[in-house]
Amino acid sequence: MEDKSRFVIAVYVENKFGVLSRVTSMFTRRGFNIDSLTVGMTETPEYSRITITMSGDGYARDQMINQLRKLFNVRKVEYIEDTRALKRELMLVKVKNDPENHQRLLSALDIFKAEIVDFSVEALSIEVTGTSEKLDAFIEMVRELGIVELCRTGVVALQKGSSSMLTEPDEM
């Protein structure tokens, strides 16, 4: 039996009312949990791209891809293999603005190529972009400095190379 792992599915859908609800309710009906979900308009305003990260085995992945393809308003579904993927996530994190830890925070910003996007006497808001692992590592580095608030976008992903989701035939 295949181990459970995290995988990414890209879904190209018509940009219409209720489509996201139909996609997410399909996961609920089948008892699958979504680890992260991002959605946004594509290069064509009539379409949106939903990027779903979930955990499961190969059977669960294939089942979800097949079910997604059956949904109304879904134009294309693609499993994005880790070895052929560019995956990024955005995080905003607010940390205490403590003069004692200022140098440690600046070092963390430099190491992770993060930037301060807002500041006050009490707190600094920082933007970090990268892989999920990079964001996790940044959190661990600044945790003891006092995280006030944190939010993450979830994964967005594209296949490497010149091909496009719409120019490639469906693969599994």
Side-chain angles (χ1 to χ4, degrees):
M1 178 173 236
E2 194 175 335
D3 289 334
K4 284 194 175 212
S5 60
R6 189 176 246 195
F7 54 89
V8 176
I9 300 171
V11 188
Y12 203 81
V13 299
E14 292 176 13
N15 192 5
K16 303 226 177 187
F17 177 81
V19 174
L20 180 60
S21 178
R22 281 193 289 283
V23 168
T24 56
S25 65
M26 191 208 53
F27 280 78
T28 304
R29 286 192 309 271
R30 283 158 182 79
F32 290 106
N33 187 48
I34 295 172
D35 295 331
S36 78
L37 181 139
T38 58
V39 62
M41 200 180 330
T42 66
E43 66 284 351
T44 308
E46 295 84 29
Y47 294 95
S48 290
R49 183 180 174 121
I50 302 170
T51 306
I52 301 166
T53 304
M54 66 177 279
S55 299
D57 57 18
Y59 174 78
R61 179 194 66 222
D62 295 346
Q63 182 182 16
M64 293 315 297
I65 289 170
N66 289 331
Q67 294 301 315
L68 285 165
R69 286 184 176 142
K70 294 177 186 177
L71 290 177
F72 187 68
N73 301 115
V74 171
R75 179 152 179 212
K76 178 106 184 220
V77 180
E78 181 177 74
Y79 162 59
I80 300 184
E81 295 179 54
D82 276 345
T83 58
R84 296 178 42 208
L86 298 171
K87 297 190 291 187
R88 296 293 182 269
E89 196 174 345
L90 168 71
M91 176 175 65
L92 296 174
V93 59
K94 190 179 294 185
V95 297
K96 291 180 183 173
N97 189 3
D98 181 359
E100 283 184 27
N101 294 319
H102 195 69
Q103 191 55 47
R104 286 180 55 202
L105 183 59
L106 290 177
S107 293
L109 293 173
D110 187 48
I111 291 167
F112 288 91
K113 295 181 175 58
E115 80 178 83
I116 297 171
V117 292
D118 185 52
F119 63 93
S120 71
V121 174
E122 296 86 22
L124 300 170
S125 296
I126 300 163
E127 176 184 317
V128 188
T129 305
T131 64
S132 297
E133 296 79 14
K134 176 183 175 181
L135 273 55
D136 291 342
F138 183 82
I139 291 168
E140 287 308 309
M141 188 169 228
V142 300
R143 184 180 307 279
E144 62 188 47
L145 303 180
I147 295 175
V148 176
E149 190 174 10
L150 181 147
C151 62
R152 294 170 77 154
T153 60
V155 174
V156 292
L158 289 174
Q159 293 283 10
K160 291 180 181 176
S162 61
S163 65
S164 160
M165 185 172 177
L166 293 182
T167 61
E168 291 293 309
D170 281 340
E171 295 177 13
M172 273 212 336

